[in-house]
Amino acid sequence: MRKLCTAAAALTALALSLAGCASTPAATGTSTAGGGTTLTVFAAASMKPTFTALGTAFESTHAGVKVTFNFAGSQTLAEQIINGAAADAFASANEANMKTVTDAGLAATGAQVYATNQLTIAVPPDNPAGITSWNDLTKKGLKLVVCAPVVPCGAATEKIEQATGTTLTPVSEEQAVTDVMAKVQAGEADAGLVYQTDVIAAGETVKGIEFAESSKAINTNVIAALKDGPQAKLGQEFVDLVLSAEGQQVLKAAGFGAAD
Amino acid sequence: MTMGEQARGRAPRVYSGLPRWLFVPAALGATLVVLPLFALTTRLDWTRFFELITSDSSMAALRLSLETSVASTVICIVLGVPLALVLAREQFPGQALVRTLVLLPLVLPPVVGGIALLYTFGRRGLLAPVMDLFGIQIAFSTAAVVIAQSFVALPFLVVSLEGTLRTVGRRYELVAATLGARPSTVLGRITLPLVLPGLVSAAVLSFARALGEFGATLTFAGSLQGVTRTLPLEIYLQRVTDPDAAIALSLVLIAVAVAVTLVTARISDRAIG
């Protein structure tokens, strides 16, 4: 009897060690899928370059944590969160879409402003229409492309128009700032109104022309950790990273204005 | 003839010979398509429906959509019928390649189509020197919408009409030719009347595709009320601020598509009968 017990114990130990052997390579190979945890951040499409960099920084300080992003329009993201999408943090490109999430009681803490951005004029590198100022945008025959007033960049455009008493006559009112950029990059448009960050991200493909009137419409980006996220605690830590000096440095380099 | 057989087959309810289990995946398939459409109607705010679809921007989008879709259907018929005839009746080297290339927009993501059109008809596109010569500017105009719609809709007409042409066969055409009819006479008196029902349904297909066109239009034509913002673009834009309006307009789009399909199905039935 005793012999049998010993044998059983040995067998169990062997089985355990085998299982251990088997799982070790898998764990080291795919530490993210196996034992690791995944932090899911929903962020406005405009945050793609900066947040991707911050995600890598977050992963390097949190062993075993994989950060995945869902970059899309803030409205789409807010809609998905309200409809039960599993997200740990939400970065909205404006306050209105964040409000729908906080109003639904889904934010862990109050939303915080983490960056601002302003409009700038984007023109093709050779600036065929010779644009140098906001007032140049009212030139006759100019192919100007802007965002539709219902999307944030278009609302900002409209606000500047009202504040300066100018009326723009765009040839197209696009759905997203990326669509405006694409038309300037393709040379179809003589000028487009986009964010400073977009011009910096586009590199050599467009030229940015800053104008003083853009201070009439400063857009605020807000972020919040989400209460019902599967990794709500990590979500808050990511928010802290974005608000930290390190995070702010990354955002500043990309052309965003300071949070205050 | 196949058409005669179809007409006879429809009248009395005959034994289909289908195994019963086949109805399960068939029903699932139908559900997959119909259920989301039903879900759309459950979210509709019926009290605001009329107000939503008669707003200025909605009416402008609907009018523009109908006008451009009709225009691109006409272009599809004018260019697509000869193309289908050549592909179905002629034999030339590289024919298979030509067919594949012409049908490419069927599988191409519309956005890619839009980019390709931009590089063709755009201000810095392939045809820009020619168009500059004549002072034509297409980008951001209604013409750009029609071109985008024709680009995506043409293959639907070609592929469906080519199939009809092959099914109908060449027998009557050859008889007419041996009796001394000129090629144009054969085309006008024999071929086209024979494939007319097929042509009508092919044209409806391309109209429906043009009506739903979104990606290529957005990329190539832009979006401006009354000029380039068709109903699908308006729906996409409205979704941001007023989801109710987007749903109401979606239903209008569906209703138009269903109505057009039903009416033409009846017309082609009558043509067959």
Side-chain angles (χ1 to χ4, degrees):
Chain A
M1 190 63 198
R2 192 195 179 115
K3 219 174 188 174
L4 198 69
C5 277
T6 319
L11 208 66
T12 314
L14 185 70
L16 280 175
S17 68
L18 277 178
C21 277
S23 69
T24 312
T28 48
T30 56
S31 58
T32 49
T37 42
T38 300
L39 167 68
T40 309
V41 178
F42 279 26
S46 51
M47 307 314 297
K48 193 168 182 183
T50 47
F51 272 37
T52 308
L54 289 173
T56 314
F58 192 83
E59 282 170 0
S60 68
T61 54
H62 295 73
V65 176
K66 166 111 176 83
V67 185
T68 59
F69 290 102
N70 179 4
F71 292 114
S74 303
Q75 152 79 20
T76 308
L77 295 173
E79 210 169 66
Q80 287 171 353
I81 291 167
I82 286 169
N83 284 303
D88 302 310
F90 173 43
S92 170
N94 60 12
E95 283 166 324
N97 288 316
M98 180 59 88
K99 193 167 176 293
T100 56
V101 171
T102 49
D103 283 356
L106 295 171
T109 53
Q112 283 173 285
V113 176
Y114 69 93
T116 60
N117 43 3
Q118 273 169 259
L119 291 182
T120 194
I121 303 167
V123 295
D126 56 347
N127 197 357
I131 302 294
T132 56
S133 70
W134 165 260
N135 285 327
D136 284 348
L137 298 181
T138 55
K139 274 188 189 174
K140 256 202 151 60
L142 180 82
K143 292 218 180 298
L144 171 71
V145 177
V146 300
C147 291
V150 295
V151 294
C153 51
T157 306
E158 209 171 38
K159 213 166 156 189
I160 301 173
E161 279 185 78
Q162 281 162 4
T164 58
T166 32
T167 312
L168 302 176
T169 46
V171 292
S172 183
E173 295 174 344
E174 300 288 331
Q175 173 79 25
V177 72
T178 46
D179 291 325
V180 176
M181 274 306 264
K183 281 169 177 101
V184 176
Q185 284 170 322
E188 285 309 307
D190 295 321
L193 280 168
V194 299
Y195 290 115
Q196 277 169 3
T197 47
D198 300 308
V199 169
I200 290 177
E204 300 287 297
T205 58
V206 297
K207 202 172 124 192
I209 294 159
E210 288 182 26
F211 58 102
E213 291 87 343
S214 72
S215 63
K216 307 278 186 208
I218 292 178
N219 181 60
T220 48
N221 295 265
V222 282
I223 192 167
L226 299 175
K227 211 171 58 188
D228 302 333
Q231 301 293 339
K233 194 173 152 292
L234 284 174
Q236 185 57 51
E237 284 177 35
F238 187 83
V239 172
D240 294 342
L241 172 67
V242 171
L243 294 167
S244 73
E246 184 193 355
Q248 291 297 303
Q249 185 53 45
V250 171
L251 289 161
K252 193 178 165 216
F256 284 102
D260 55 29
Chain B
M1 281 306 302
T2 40
M3 283 183 291
E5 280 162 22
Q6 271 173 13
R8 269 202 304 279
R10 199 171 292 139
R13 179 135 166 52
V14 289
Y15 171 66
S16 72
L18 291 176
R20 294 211 166 221
W21 58 262
L22 201 73
F23 288 91
V24 177
L28 280 176
T31 311
L32 178 66
V33 176
V34 175
L35 194 61
L37 297 181
F38 172 74
L40 203 59
T41 61
T42 62
R43 285 297 179 93
L44 182 65
D45 185 353
W46 288 103
T47 52
R48 284 180 64 212
F49 181 73
F50 198 69
E51 164 205 338
L52 289 172
I53 63 164
T54 52
S55 74
D56 272 358
S57 60
S58 303
M59 292 306 283
L62 179 62
R63 192 176 311 125
L64 182 69
S65 263
L66 290 175
E67 285 168 2
T68 51
S69 299
V70 167
S72 44
T73 307
V74 170
I75 291 179
C76 283
I77 292 172
V78 170
L79 303 179
V81 173
L83 190 54
L85 281 164
V86 170
L87 285 174
R89 291 290 188 258
E90 275 296 331
Q91 266 155 19
F92 56 90
Q95 190 172 14
L97 183 68
V98 171
R99 180 183 292 114
T100 310
L101 290 178
V102 166
L103 300 186
L104 213 52
L106 283 178
V107 290
L108 213 59
V111 178
V112 178
I115 295 171
L117 287 169
L118 206 55
Y119 291 152
T120 314
F121 299 101
R123 261 214 295 194
R124 300 185 178 187
L126 209 59
L127 297 181
V130 185
M131 297 195 323
D132 281 351
L133 213 60
F134 296 96
I136 307 168
Q137 288 208 342
I138 287 179
F140 307 118
S141 68
T142 307
V145 178
V146 175
I147 291 176
Q149 289 176 345
S150 306
F151 177 80
V152 295
L154 186 64
F156 280 85
L157 187 127
V158 173
V159 79
S160 133
L161 186 61
E162 196 194 341
T164 313
L165 280 164
R166 288 181 185 281
T167 316
V168 166
R170 310 197 54 183
R171 211 161 10 134
Y172 293 110
E173 294 170 12
L174 294 174
V175 170
T178 53
L179 292 176
R182 291 164 176 278
S184 296
T185 313
V186 177
L187 181 67
R189 295 275 189 84
I190 310 288
T191 316
L192 290 182
L194 267 180
V195 297
L196 193 62
L199 175 59
V200 170
S201 65
V204 170
L205 259 184
S206 47
F207 176 83
R209 181 66 190 87
L211 196 63
E213 212 309 299
F214 172 72
T217 308
L218 190 68
T219 317
F220 176 53
S223 173
L224 194 67
Q225 183 177 328
V227 181
T228 50
R229 189 174 293 150
T230 56
L231 207 45
L233 269 69
E234 175 73 16
I235 290 170
Y236 190 55
L237 190 63
Q238 288 286 356
R239 201 182 69 96
V240 176
T241 42
D242 193 351
D244 286 343
I247 295 167
L249 288 174
S250 307
L251 287 179
V252 171
L253 194 62
I254 293 169
V256 171
V258 168
V260 169
T261 317
L262 285 180
V263 166
T264 42
R266 181 156 301 173
I267 291 173
S268 67
D269 268 2
R270 203 167 291 162
I272 292 168

